[in-house]
């Protein structure tokens, strides 16, 4: 899980340690992600939405894709499909993914890179492994997060952000035991490069065995920690968590994550995503790739897609399309 690393973490700026007046957020719930198939048949690990956590406002979905080592001609992606009403954020840890969309956006992202697509009023796109990976096989590991848009921004013009790994803001925990890559929003006062319509915080942290990550967290934001790899504890009560589990925090001013002194995974560090945001608190009606506020808006989205009002597949990529996630 290389993502973006540094030779000497001690040269990085450090997150402020929460002061004594701050109330550490308790752990409200720990959710174990479930595996399922998406796109053309690739497997994802999904903590939400699920039977245990139906809503994670302002987020709609979180999928961990891999880690998996594909055999030749085994890699699959998500062929052309529509979206409306939210943003898709794909963060790569290992391997490479290719993206195209009907708005002219897209490109190739690899270790540490992020593609941020605002579907807004409607767009068609695909996400596929590169030809080299399909032919030879190889390691693949990424994460996709769906960020909801408030009613006033559901029909924003589609846009695409190509965030290179070198653009991420790198900071360390106050004791130098954790490397934090800030992707969007702010973590402990350090801002990432991602531009968001919905106020959120999104970061990837690698915590060395026995290390502890503490950071202030906005009171108005929800707060969650998803474990990509390794094992540790979260919150003041040191609730145990392991790979594939999501910790949901209650109210407070700060969050904490601690890596067990012995890691059972092969990565060596406890790898986690820190995420949260300002709850939108509006009705959410989802039908596959459309996330709106009412059933009538979903019906309109389907009709608009079928009528070609969400754009057209560029001629060089014509291969059919269908609603999918």
């Amino acid at each position: 899980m290389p993502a973006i690393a540094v030779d000497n973490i001690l040269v990085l700026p450090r997150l402020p340690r929460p002061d004594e007046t701050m109330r550490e957020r308790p752990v409200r719930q720990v959710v174990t992600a479930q595996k399922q198939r998406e796109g053309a048949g690739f497997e994802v690990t999904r903590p939400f939405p699920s039977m245990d956590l139906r809503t994670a406002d302002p987020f709609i979905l979180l999928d961990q894709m891999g880690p998996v080592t594909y055999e030749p001609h085994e890699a699959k992606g998500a062929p052309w499909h529509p979206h409306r009403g939210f943003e898709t954020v794909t963060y790569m840890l290992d391997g490479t993914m290719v993206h195209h969309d009907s708005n002219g956006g897209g490109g190739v992202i690899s270790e540490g890179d992020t593609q941020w697509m605002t579907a807004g009023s409607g767009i068609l796109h695909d996400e596929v492994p590169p030809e080299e990976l399909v032919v030879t096989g190889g390691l693949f590991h990424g994460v996709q997060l769906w960020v909801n848009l408030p009613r006033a921004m559901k029909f924003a013009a589609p846009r695409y952000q190509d965030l290179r790994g070198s653009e991420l803001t790198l900071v360390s925990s106050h004791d130098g035991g954790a490397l934090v890559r800030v992707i969007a929003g702010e973590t402990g006062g350090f801002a990432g490069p991602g531009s968001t319509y919905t106020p959120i915080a999104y970061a990837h942290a690698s915590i060395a065995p026995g290390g502890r990550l503490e950071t202030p967290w906005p009171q108005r934001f929800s707060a969650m920690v998803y474990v990509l790899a390794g094992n540790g504890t979260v919150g003041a009560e040191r609730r145990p968590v392991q790979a594939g589990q999501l910790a949901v925090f209650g109210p407070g001013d700060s969050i904490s994550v601690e890596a067990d002194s012995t890691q059972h995974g092969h990565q060596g560090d406890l790898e986690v995503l820190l995420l949260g945001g300002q709850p939108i608190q509006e009705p959410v009606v989802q039908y596959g790739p459309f996330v709106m506020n009412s059933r009538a808006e979903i019906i309109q989205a389907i009709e608009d897609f079928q009528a070609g009002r969400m754009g057209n597949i560029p001629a060089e990529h014509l291969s059919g399309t269908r609603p999918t996630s």
Side-chain angles (χ1 to χ4, degrees), residues 98-118:
V98 181
H99 168 261
H100 315 94
D101 68 47
S102 57
N103 201 42
V108 179
I109 57 171
S110 56
E111 289 91 345
D113 298 339
T114 304
Q115 63 178 23
W116 196 301
M117 188 186 76
T118 302

Side-chain angles (χ1 to χ4, degrees), residues 277-289:
Q278 176 70 53
I280 296 174
Q281 297 180 328
E282 293 177 351
V284 174
V285 180
Q286 179 184 352
Y287 178 76

